[in-house]
Amino acid sequence: MPQTDSQPYDFDTATAVRRGEGDDVYLADLDPTWQVGGGILNGGYLLSVAAQAAVQGSHHPHPVAVSASYLRTTAADTVSLRVTPGAGGRTLAHSLVTLSDATGRPSLTVQATTATLTDEAPEYADAPMPVMPPPEECVDMAARLNPDPSKRPGLSRHVDSRLDPATAGWTVGEPSDEPVLRAWIRFVDGRPADPLALLTFADVLPPLGFVIGHRGWAPTVQLQVLVRGLPAPGWVLAETRARQIAGGWLDEDCTIWDSTGRLVAEGRQLARMSRAAG
Amino acid sequence: MPQTDSQPYDFDTATAVRRGEGDDVYLADLDPTWQVGGGILNGGYLLSVAAQAAVQGSHHPHPVAVSASYLRTTAADTVSLRVTPGAGGRTLAHSLVTLSDATGRPSLTVQATTATLTDEAPEYADAPMPVMPPPEECVDMAARLNPDPSKRPGLSRHVDSRLDPATAGWTVGEPSDEPVLRAWIRFVDGRPADPLALLTFADVLPPLGFVIGHRGWAPTVQLQVLVRGLPAPGWVLAETRARQIAGGWLDEDCTIWDSTGRLVAEGRQLARMSRAAG
């Protein structure tokens, strides 16, 4: 997908896969800049790469349901993606994708269902988009970190997130009692959102622990994302919400609407949470 | 788990696994009575059998996150369950379970994370149990089908579900505009709920299409269930809800609380829905 200046979009380059040795094996050069800090690659980015391999190995263009187990951290290296086809037909196809490092050690397994989504109007819809201020009145965390987009750290170089001020108190040392985040999201370079991008967007907001004043990272254990429609052009709105934190486990529900207010993705993850409060 | 009369509970017999040939292979005799109609085994029941195998192959006793892809219908036969261990440690362990029929054809793949849950109070909780009438004031569908428990069809012989009258209009030909179901659930024979049982309970209520007047079945494509705590004794309350029906796809969110009002399980599935309205 070339831009007007014929440069490919960041996301397409970073998620590209090519055929490896043997049937159903793909290779990808993971991009170290899609990290969340400390060199740890974003879980949503890894999910998009795995789904890219699943789509390449399928007759259907869109990931509609993906479930990932995060076994270990994945180094930003050349990785292999083995796609094991499951049952498939005219409507949908299943596969299992195993992402392994150069030594063959798996770090991510993904069950993927592919199909062909359309933009037809839903027969039933009851998930109204939350009301929040427009992007220009929201908190641009990346701009705070560095006014120069090319010098921003990690993910924020690629993904433009504007936090609803009502959920951004923690960014100025005023944590909330409620682990909820809302943000407008788009790619910095103007790449349109599509089902593959929604997988990254479903895991791109800061950890909900931060919102309530925890300092530790909350590594994803398992994440499912359902893609429910083709997003219209423009910003998407993502909301993440935890319902229970107990015994060191945290759930994180992510809902994404497109610019027309249509629900386009739903994700739910289980994460481990450090018990040490900030 | 013997009852007072030393008979094992139905659910334990129906989900038992034994070692098969080779490491990490288990066998199970699927019980044909755990069906939803037409001989189709309940998806939650199959999930519990797969999780039973994952637990047997793990150092941890409880499934805390399971994601299943339903590749094809599974016949009520002797099946094999291959458990492929992933990374594991003191806190949790990952594995992939593949359920295959006697010819070796896989019909269900499950990514399972096992750990050790406790009943300690949540640090944060914001998922209040819905208010609904007590079980004796709810709609006992099974009793309507047949007053004699031993003559009831399929699942209803094993699982006692009492529908909130507010969500049961469809059972008397008065469908709702809103695809929501609520019910008290317990095992007929008094077996206590536990994490393994919650996996079945997360997929045990009637399809949400029925609630809004669709007649067709809605086969599950992919289902994730997170188990968030050890349920207290007594009934659990389950609520299922669809947020969007579009292009023949339906989501179904299931939340389960125990008798103390604690959130103990959260499931989300993507299902295919017949376009033919009833």
Side-chain angles (χ1 to χ4, degrees), chain A residues 179-255:
Chain A
V180 175
L181 275 177
R182 278 185 298 277
W184 297 107
I185 298 177
R186 66 177 177 188
F187 286 116
V188 168
D189 64 6
R191 183 193 187 280
D194 64 2
L196 214 60
L198 293 174
L199 302 182
T200 290
F201 291 173
D203 189 42
V204 91
L205 292 181
L208 286 171
F210 287 10
V211 178
I212 55 170
H214 281 252
R215 281 194 196 128
W217 203 254
T220 303
V221 172
Q222 194 185 88
L223 166 64
Q224 181 194 52
V225 185
L226 308 181
V227 179
R228 306 302 311 284
L230 296 178
W235 294 90
V236 301
L237 194 167
E239 180 180 82
T240 56
R241 182 179 289 273
R243 297 207 294 177
Q244 184 167 271
I245 303 172
W249 301 96
L250 161 84
D251 59 349
E252 193 171 313
D253 231 74
C254 179
T255 311

Coordinates of all heavy atoms in Angstrom, one line a residue, chain A residues 179-255:
Chain A
P179 N -10.1 1.6 36.7 CA -9.1 1.3 35.6 C -9.8 1.3 34.2 O -10.2 0.3 33.7 CB -8.7 -0.1 36.0 CG -9.8 -0.7 36.9 CD -10.5 0.5 37.5
V180 N -10.0 2.5 33.7 CA -10.6 2.7 32.4 C -9.7 3.7 31.6 O -9.3 4.7 32.1 CB -12.0 3.3 32.5 CG1 -12.6 3.6 31.1 CG2 -12.9 2.3 33.3
L181 N -9.5 3.4 30.3 CA -8.8 4.4 29.4 C -9.7 4.5 28.1 O -10.2 3.5 27.6 CB -7.4 3.8 29.0 CG -6.2 4.1 29.9 CD1 -5.0 3.3 29.3 CD2 -6.0 5.5 30.0
R182 N -9.7 5.7 27.6 CA -10.3 5.9 26.3 C -9.4 6.8 25.5 O -8.7 7.7 26.0 CB -11.6 6.7 26.4 CG -12.8 5.8 26.8 CD -14.1 6.6 26.7 NE -14.1 7.6 27.7 CZ -14.4 7.5 29.0 NH1 -14.7 6.3 29.5 NH2 -14.4 8.5 29.9
A183 N -9.3 6.4 24.2 CA -8.4 7.2 23.3 C -8.8 7.1 21.9 O -9.3 6.1 21.4 CB -6.9 6.7 23.5
W184 N -8.6 8.2 21.2 CA -8.6 8.2 19.7 C -7.3 7.6 19.2 O -6.2 8.0 19.8 CB -8.8 9.6 19.1 CG -10.0 10.3 19.5 CD1 -10.2 11.3 20.4 CD2 -11.3 10.0 19.0 NE1 -11.5 11.7 20.4 CE2 -12.3 10.9 19.6 CE3 -11.8 9.1 18.0 CZ2 -13.6 10.9 19.3 CZ3 -13.2 9.1 17.8 CH2 -14.1 10.0 18.4
I185 N -7.3 6.8 18.2 CA -6.1 6.1 17.7 C -6.0 6.2 16.2 O -7.1 6.0 15.6 CB -6.0 4.7 18.2 CG1 -6.0 4.6 19.8 CG2 -4.8 4.0 17.6 CD1 -6.0 3.2 20.3
R186 N -4.9 6.4 15.7 CA -4.6 6.3 14.2 C -3.1 6.1 14.0 O -2.3 6.3 15.0 CB -5.1 7.5 13.5 CG -4.3 8.8 13.8 CD -4.7 10.0 13.0 NE -4.0 11.2 13.4 CZ -4.2 12.4 13.0 NH1 -5.2 12.6 12.2 NH2 -3.4 13.4 13.4
F187 N -2.8 5.7 12.8 CA -1.3 5.6 12.5 C -0.8 7.0 12.2 O -1.4 7.8 11.6 CB -1.1 4.7 11.3 CG -1.3 3.2 11.6 CD1 -2.3 2.5 11.0 CD2 -0.4 2.5 12.5 CE1 -2.4 1.1 11.2 CE2 -0.6 1.2 12.7 CZ -1.6 0.5 12.1
V188 N 0.5 7.2 12.7 CA 1.1 8.5 12.5 C 1.3 8.8 11.0 O 1.1 10.0 10.6 CB 2.5 8.5 13.2 CG1 3.3 9.7 12.8 CG2 2.3 8.4 14.7
D189 N 1.6 7.8 10.2 CA 1.9 8.1 8.8 C 0.6 8.1 7.9 O 0.7 8.1 6.7 CB 2.9 7.2 8.3 CG 2.5 5.7 8.3 OD1 1.3 5.4 8.6 OD2 3.4 4.8 8.0
G190 N -0.5 8.0 8.5 CA -1.8 8.1 7.7 C -2.3 6.8 7.1 O -3.3 6.8 6.4
R191 N -1.6 5.7 7.5 CA -2.1 4.4 7.0 C -3.5 4.2 7.5 O -3.8 4.4 8.7 CB -1.2 3.3 7.5 CG -1.7 1.9 6.9 CD -1.0 0.8 7.6 NE -1.3 -0.5 7.0 CZ -2.4 -1.2 7.2 NH1 -3.4 -0.7 8.0 NH2 -2.6 -2.4 6.7
P192 N -4.5 3.8 6.6 CA -5.8 3.6 7.1 C -5.9 2.4 8.0 O -5.1 1.4 7.9 CB -6.6 3.3 5.8 CG -5.8 3.7 4.7 CD -4.3 3.6 5.2
A193 N -6.8 2.4 8.9 CA -7.0 1.2 9.8 C -7.7 0.1 8.9 O -8.5 0.4 8.0 CB -7.9 1.6 11.0
D194 N -7.4 -1.1 9.3 CA -8.0 -2.3 8.6 C -8.0 -3.4 9.7 O -7.6 -3.2 10.8 CB -7.3 -2.7 7.3 CG -5.8 -3.1 7.5 OD1 -5.4 -3.2 8.7 OD2 -5.2 -3.4 6.6
P195 N -8.6 -4.6 9.3 CA -8.7 -5.6 10.4 C -7.3 -6.0 11.0 O -7.2 -6.1 12.2 CB -9.3 -6.8 9.6 CG -10.2 -6.1 8.6 CD -9.4 -4.9 8.1
L196 N -6.2 -6.0 10.2 CA -4.9 -6.3 10.7 C -4.5 -5.2 11.7 O -3.9 -5.6 12.7 CB -3.9 -6.4 9.5 CG -2.8 -7.4 9.6 CD1 -3.3 -8.8 9.8 CD2 -1.9 -7.3 8.4
A197 N -4.7 -4.0 11.4 CA -4.3 -2.9 12.3 C -5.1 -2.9 13.6 O -4.6 -2.6 14.6 CB -4.6 -1.6 11.6
L198 N -6.4 -3.3 13.5 CA -7.2 -3.4 14.7 C -6.6 -4.3 15.7 O -6.8 -4.1 16.9 CB -8.7 -3.7 14.4 CG -9.4 -2.7 13.5 CD1 -10.8 -3.3 13.1 CD2 -9.6 -1.4 14.3
L199 N -5.9 -5.3 15.3 CA -5.3 -6.3 16.2 C -4.2 -5.6 17.0 O -4.1 -5.8 18.2 CB -4.7 -7.5 15.5 CG -5.7 -8.3 14.6 CD1 -5.0 -9.5 14.0 CD2 -6.9 -8.8 15.4
T200 N -3.5 -4.7 16.4 CA -2.5 -3.9 17.1 C -3.2 -2.9 18.0 O -2.8 -2.8 19.2 CB -1.5 -3.2 16.1 OG1 -0.7 -4.2 15.5 CG2 -0.6 -2.2 16.9
F201 N -4.2 -2.2 17.5 CA -4.9 -1.2 18.3 C -5.5 -1.8 19.5 O -5.7 -1.1 20.5 CB -5.9 -0.5 17.4 CG -5.3 0.4 16.3 CD1 -6.2 1.0 15.4 CD2 -4.0 0.6 16.3 CE1 -5.6 1.8 14.4 CE2 -3.4 1.4 15.3 CZ -4.3 2.0 14.3
A202 N -5.9 -3.1 19.5 CA -6.5 -3.7 20.6 C -5.6 -3.9 21.8 O -6.1 -4.3 22.9 CB -7.2 -5.1 20.2
D203 N -4.3 -3.7 21.6 CA -3.4 -3.9 22.7 C -2.3 -2.7 22.8 O -1.2 -2.9 23.2 CB -2.7 -5.2 22.6 CG -1.9 -5.6 23.8 OD1 -2.3 -5.4 24.9 OD2 -0.7 -6.1 23.7
V204 N -2.8 -1.6 22.3 CA -1.8 -0.5 22.1 C -1.9 0.6 23.3 O -0.9 1.3 23.4 CB -2.0 0.1 20.7 CG1 -3.0 1.3 20.8 CG2 -0.7 0.5 20.1
L205 N -2.9 0.6 24.0 CA -3.0 1.6 25.1 C -2.2 1.2 26.3 O -1.8 0.0 26.5 CB -4.5 1.8 25.5 CG -5.3 2.5 24.4 CD1 -6.8 2.7 24.9 CD2 -4.7 3.8 23.9
P206 N -1.8 2.2 27.1 CA -1.0 1.9 28.3 C -1.7 0.9 29.2 O -2.9 0.8 29.2 CB -0.8 3.2 29.0 CG -1.0 4.2 27.9 CD -2.0 3.6 27.0
P207 N -0.9 0.1 30.0 CA -1.6 -0.8 30.9 C -2.5 -0.1 31.9 O -2.3 1.0 32.4 CB -0.4 -1.4 31.7 CG 0.8 -1.1 30.9 CD 0.5 0.2 30.2
L208 N -3.6 -0.8 32.2 CA -4.7 -0.2 33.0 C -4.2 0.0 34.5 O -4.7 0.9 35.2 CB -5.9 -1.0 33.0 CG -6.7 -0.9 31.7 CD1 -7.9 -1.9 31.7 CD2 -7.3 0.5 31.6
G209 N -3.2 -0.8 34.9 CA -2.6 -0.6 36.2 C -2.1 0.8 36.4 O -2.2 1.4 37.5
F210 N -1.5 1.4 35.3 CA -0.9 2.7 35.4 C -2.0 3.7 35.8 O -1.8 4.7 36.6 CB -0.4 3.2 34.1 CG 0.9 2.6 33.7 CD1 1.4 1.5 34.4 CD2 1.6 3.0 32.5 CE1 2.6 0.9 34.0 CE2 2.8 2.4 32.1 CZ 3.3 1.4 32.9
V211 N -3.2 3.5 35.3 CA -4.4 4.4 35.5 C -4.7 4.5 37.0 O -5.1 5.6 37.4 CB -5.6 4.0 34.7 CG1 -6.8 4.9 34.9 CG2 -5.2 3.9 33.2
I212 N -4.5 3.4 37.7 CA -4.9 3.4 39.1 C -3.7 3.5 40.0 O -3.8 3.3 41.2 CB -5.8 2.2 39.5 CG1 -5.1 0.9 39.1 CG2 -7.2 2.3 38.8 CD1 -5.8 -0.4 39.6
G213 N -2.5 3.8 39.4 CA -1.4 4.1 40.2 C -0.4 3.0 40.5 O 0.5 3.1 41.3
H214 N -0.6 1.9 39.8 CA 0.4 0.8 39.9 C 1.5 1.2 38.9 O 1.3 1.8 37.9 CB -0.2 -0.5 39.4 CG -1.0 -1.2 40.4 ND1 -0.6 -2.3 41.1 CD2 -2.3 -0.9 40.9 CE1 -1.6 -2.7 41.9 NE2 -2.6 -1.9 41.8
R215 N 2.7 0.8 39.3 CA 3.9 1.2 38.4 C 4.3 0.0 37.6 O 4.9 0.2 36.5 CB 5.0 1.7 39.3 CG 4.8 3.1 39.7 CD 6.2 3.7 40.2 NE 5.8 4.9 41.0 CZ 6.2 5.2 42.2 NH1 7.0 4.3 42.8 NH2 5.9 6.3 42.8
G216 N 4.1 -1.2 38.0 CA 4.6 -2.3 37.3 C 4.0 -2.6 36.0 O 2.8 -2.2 35.8
W217 N 4.7 -3.3 35.1 CA 4.1 -3.7 33.8 C 3.2 -4.9 34.1 O 3.2 -5.5 35.1 CB 5.2 -4.2 32.9 CG 4.8 -4.1 31.5 CD1 4.5 -5.1 30.6 CD2 4.6 -2.9 30.7 NE1 4.1 -4.6 29.4 CE2 4.2 -3.2 29.5 CE3 4.8 -1.5 31.0 CZ2 3.9 -2.3 28.5 CZ3 4.5 -0.6 30.0 CH2 4.0 -1.0 28.8
A218 N 2.2 -5.1 33.2 CA 1.3 -6.2 33.3 C 1.3 -7.0 32.1 O 0.6 -6.8 31.1 CB -0.1 -5.6 33.6
P219 N 2.2 -8.0 32.1 CA 2.4 -8.8 30.8 C 1.1 -9.6 30.5 O 0.5 -10.2 31.3 CB 3.6 -9.8 31.2 CG 3.7 -9.7 32.6 CD 3.1 -8.5 33.1
T220 N 0.8 -9.6 29.2 CA -0.3 -10.3 28.7 C -0.1 -11.8 28.7 O 1.0 -12.2 28.3 CB -0.6 -9.9 27.2 OG1 -0.8 -8.5 27.2 CG2 -1.9 -10.6 26.7
V221 N -1.0 -12.5 29.3 CA -0.9 -14.0 29.3 C -1.7 -14.6 28.1 O -1.2 -15.4 27.4 CB -1.5 -14.5 30.6 CG1 -1.6 -16.0 30.6 CG2 -0.7 -14.0 31.8
Q222 N -2.9 -14.1 27.9 CA -3.7 -14.6 26.8 C -4.6 -13.5 26.3 O -5.2 -12.7 27.1 CB -4.5 -15.8 27.2 CG -5.1 -16.5 26.0 CD -6.0 -17.7 26.4 OE1 -7.2 -17.5 26.5 NE2 -5.5 -18.9 26.5
L223 N -4.7 -13.3 25.0 CA -5.5 -12.2 24.4 C -6.4 -12.8 23.3 O -5.8 -13.5 22.4 CB -4.6 -11.1 23.9 CG -5.2 -10.1 23.0 CD1 -6.2 -9.2 23.7 CD2 -4.0 -9.2 22.5
Q224 N -7.7 -12.5 23.3 CA -8.5 -12.8 22.2 C -9.0 -11.5 21.6 O -9.4 -10.6 22.3 CB -9.7 -13.6 22.6 CG -10.7 -14.0 21.4 CD -12.0 -14.5 21.8 OE1 -12.7 -13.9 22.6 NE2 -12.4 -15.6 21.3
V225 N -9.0 -11.4 20.3 CA -9.5 -10.2 19.6 C -10.5 -10.7 18.5 O -10.1 -11.6 17.7 CB -8.5 -9.3 18.9 CG1 -9.1 -8.1 18.3 CG2 -7.4 -8.9 19.9
L226 N -11.7 -10.2 18.5 CA -12.7 -10.4 17.5 C -12.8 -9.2 16.6 O -12.9 -8.1 17.1 CB -14.0 -10.7 18.1 CG -14.1 -11.8 19.1 CD1 -15.6 -12.1 19.6 CD2 -13.5 -13.1 18.6
V227 N -12.6 -9.3 15.3 CA -12.8 -8.2 14.4 C -14.2 -8.2 13.8 O -14.6 -9.3 13.2 CB -11.7 -8.1 13.3 CG1 -12.0 -7.0 12.4 CG2 -10.3 -8.1 13.9
R228 N -15.0 -7.2 14.0 CA -16.4 -7.3 13.7 C -16.9 -6.5 12.5 O -18.0 -6.6 12.1 CB -17.2 -6.8 14.9 CG -16.9 -7.5 16.3 CD -17.1 -9.0 16.2 NE -18.4 -9.3 15.6 CZ -19.6 -9.3 16.3 NH1 -19.6 -8.8 17.5 NH2 -20.7 -9.6 15.7
G229 N -15.9 -5.7 11.9 CA -16.3 -5.0 10.7 C -15.1 -4.3 10.1 O -14.1 -4.2 10.7
L230 N -15.3 -3.8 8.8 CA -14.2 -3.1 8.2 C -14.3 -1.6 8.7 O -15.4 -1.0 8.5 CB -14.4 -3.1 6.7 CG -14.2 -4.5 6.1 CD1 -14.5 -4.4 4.5 CD2 -12.9 -5.1 6.3
P231 N -13.3 -1.1 9.3 CA -13.4 0.3 9.8 C -13.5 1.3 8.7 O -12.8 1.2 7.7 CB -12.1 0.4 10.6 CG -11.2 -0.6 10.1 CD -12.0 -1.7 9.6
A232 N -14.3 2.3 8.9 CA -14.4 3.5 8.0 C -13.1 4.3 8.1 O -12.4 4.2 9.1 CB -15.6 4.3 8.4
P233 N -12.8 5.1 7.2 CA -11.6 6.0 7.3 C -11.7 6.9 8.5 O -12.7 7.2 9.0 CB -11.7 6.8 6.0 CG -12.5 6.0 5.0 CD -13.5 5.3 5.9
G234 N -10.5 7.2 9.0 CA -10.4 8.2 10.1 C -9.9 7.6 11.4 O -9.5 6.4 11.4
W235 N -10.0 8.3 12.5 CA -9.6 7.9 13.8 C -10.5 6.7 14.2 O -11.7 6.7 13.9 CB -9.8 9.0 14.8 CG -8.9 10.2 14.7 CD1 -9.2 11.3 14.0 CD2 -7.7 10.4 15.4 NE1 -8.2 12.2 14.2 CE2 -7.2 11.7 15.0 CE3 -6.9 9.6 16.2 CZ2 -6.0 12.2 15.5 CZ3 -5.7 10.1 16.7 CH2 -5.3 11.4 16.3
V236 N -10.0 5.8 15.0 CA -10.9 4.9 15.7 C -10.9 5.3 17.2 O -9.9 6.0 17.6 CB -10.4 3.4 15.6 CG1 -10.4 2.9 14.1 CG2 -9.1 3.1 16.3
L237 N -11.9 4.9 17.9 CA -12.0 5.2 19.4 C -11.8 3.8 20.1 O -12.6 2.9 19.8 CB -13.3 5.9 19.7 CG -13.4 6.5 21.1 CD1 -14.6 7.4 21.1 CD2 -13.4 5.6 22.2
A238 N -10.8 3.8 21.0 CA -10.7 2.5 21.8 C -10.9 2.8 23.2 O -10.5 3.8 23.7 CB -9.2 2.0 21.6
E239 N -11.6 1.9 23.9 CA -11.8 2.0 25.3 C -11.3 0.7 25.9 O -11.7 -0.4 25.5 CB -13.3 2.2 25.7 CG -13.5 2.3 27.2 CD -15.0 2.5 27.5 OE1 -15.7 1.5 27.6 OE2 -15.3 3.6 27.8
T240 N -10.5 0.8 27.0 CA -10.0 -0.4 27.7 C -10.5 -0.3 29.1 O -10.6 0.8 29.7 CB -8.5 -0.6 27.7 OG1 -7.9 0.6 28.2 CG2 -8.0 -0.9 26.3
R241 N -10.9 -1.4 29.7 CA -11.5 -1.4 31.0 C -11.2 -2.7 31.7 O -11.3 -3.8 31.1 CB -13.1 -1.3 30.8 CG -13.9 -1.3 32.0 CD -15.4 -1.2 31.5 NE -15.7 0.2 30.9 CZ -16.1 1.2 31.7 NH1 -16.2 1.1 33.0 NH2 -16.3 2.4 31.1
A242 N -10.9 -2.6 33.0 CA -10.7 -3.8 33.8 C -11.9 -4.0 34.7 O -12.4 -3.0 35.2 CB -9.4 -3.7 34.7
R243 N -12.3 -5.3 34.8 CA -13.5 -5.5 35.7 C -13.1 -6.1 37.1 O -13.8 -5.9 38.0 CB -14.5 -6.4 35.0 CG -15.0 -5.8 33.7 CD -16.4 -6.3 33.3 NE -16.3 -7.7 33.0 CZ -17.4 -8.5 32.7 NH1 -18.6 -7.9 32.7 NH2 -17.3 -9.7 32.4
Q244 N -12.0 -6.8 37.1 CA -11.6 -7.3 38.4 C -10.1 -7.5 38.4 O -9.5 -7.9 37.4 CB -12.2 -8.7 38.6 CG -11.9 -9.3 40.0 CD -12.8 -10.5 40.3 OE1 -13.9 -10.4 40.8 NE2 -12.4 -11.7 39.9
I245 N -9.5 -7.1 39.6 CA -8.1 -7.4 39.8 C -8.0 -8.2 41.1 O -8.5 -7.8 42.1 CB -7.3 -6.1 40.0 CG1 -7.5 -5.2 38.8 CG2 -5.8 -6.4 40.3 CD1 -6.9 -3.8 39.0
A246 N -7.5 -9.5 40.9 CA -7.6 -10.4 42.1 C -6.5 -11.4 42.0 O -6.2 -11.9 40.9 CB -8.9 -11.1 42.1
G247 N -5.8 -11.6 43.1 CA -4.7 -12.7 43.1 C -3.6 -12.5 42.1 O -2.9 -13.4 41.7
G248 N -3.4 -11.2 41.7 CA -2.3 -10.9 40.8 C -2.8 -11.0 39.3 O -2.0 -10.9 38.4
W249 N -4.1 -11.2 39.1 CA -4.6 -11.3 37.7 C -5.5 -10.1 37.4 O -6.3 -9.7 38.3 CB -5.5 -12.6 37.6 CG -4.7 -13.9 37.8 CD1 -4.7 -14.6 39.0 CD2 -3.9 -14.6 36.9 NE1 -3.9 -15.7 38.9 CE2 -3.4 -15.7 37.6 CE3 -3.5 -14.4 35.6 CZ2 -2.6 -16.7 37.1 CZ3 -2.7 -15.4 35.0 CH2 -2.2 -16.5 35.8
L250 N -5.4 -9.7 36.2 CA -6.1 -8.5 35.8 C -6.8 -8.8 34.4 O -6.1 -9.4 33.6 CB -5.1 -7.3 35.6 CG -5.5 -6.1 34.7 CD1 -6.3 -5.1 35.6 CD2 -4.2 -5.5 34.2
D251 N -8.0 -8.5 34.3 CA -8.6 -8.6 32.9 C -8.6 -7.3 32.2 O -8.6 -6.2 32.9 CB -10.1 -9.2 33.0 CG -11.0 -8.3 33.8 OD1 -10.5 -7.4 34.5 OD2 -12.2 -8.5 33.8
E252 N -8.6 -7.3 30.9 CA -8.6 -6.0 30.2 C -9.5 -6.2 29.0 O -9.2 -7.0 28.1 CB -7.2 -5.6 29.8 CG -7.1 -4.2 29.4 CD -5.6 -3.7 29.2 OE1 -4.8 -3.9 30.1 OE2 -5.4 -3.1 28.1
D253 N -10.6 -5.5 29.0 CA -11.5 -5.6 27.9 C -11.3 -4.4 27.0 O -11.2 -3.2 27.5 CB -12.9 -5.4 28.5 CG -13.8 -6.5 28.0 OD1 -13.6 -7.7 28.4 OD2 -14.7 -6.3 27.1
C254 N -11.1 -4.6 25.7 CA -10.9 -3.5 24.8 C -12.0 -3.5 23.7 O -12.3 -4.5 23.1 CB -9.6 -3.6 24.1 SG -9.2 -2.3 22.9
T255 N -12.6 -2.3 23.5 CA -13.7 -2.2 22.5 C -13.2 -1.1 21.6 O -12.8 0.0 22.1 CB -15.0 -1.8 23.1 OG1 -15.3 -2.8 24.2 CG2 -16.1 -1.9 22.1

